[in-house]
Amino acid sequence: MCEASAYLVKDGKEELFLEAVDILEPEGDKLRLVNIFGEQKIIKAKIKRMSLVNHKILLEPEEEK
């Protein structure tokens, strides 16, 4: 399996946002993540770092205006 888990980085801590992410795509000023089970989440965030070898996506949430 090549899926990664997405984490939100808040106050220097990583909080699990979505497991087994298969698709990550921009949608306007937001990101849409879809996992292998069809679960979908949309968040206003930017990608802080991706480590595909470690199956990890770190997202930095942005404040809604």
Side-chain angles (χ1 to χ4, degrees):
M1 301 280 228
C2 296
E3 301 83 24
S5 291
Y7 296 85
L8 296 179
V9 179
K10 294 181 180 178
D11 300 322
K13 296 182 181 178
E14 297 174 8
E15 178 183 307
L16 183 63
F17 181 68
L18 186 63
E19 292 183 295
V21 174
D22 179 48
I23 298 170
L24 186 154
E25 62 186 2
E27 195 168 270
D29 63 345
K30 299 179 181 177
L31 297 173
R32 183 173 77 94
L33 294 86
V34 183
N35 69 12
I36 60 172
F37 308 108
E39 183 179 357
Q40 173 178 285
K41 291 189 175 185
I42 297 174
I43 184 170
K44 186 166 184 170
K46 65 180 180 179
I47 299 170
K48 182 172 181 164
R49 180 176 49 229
M50 290 178 65
S51 176
L52 299 180
V53 170
N54 293 320
H55 307 280
K56 201 172 206 181
I57 303 165
L58 298 179
L59 303 173
E60 194 169 280
E62 295 181 350
E63 290 185 26
E64 296 282 339
K65 293 181 181 178

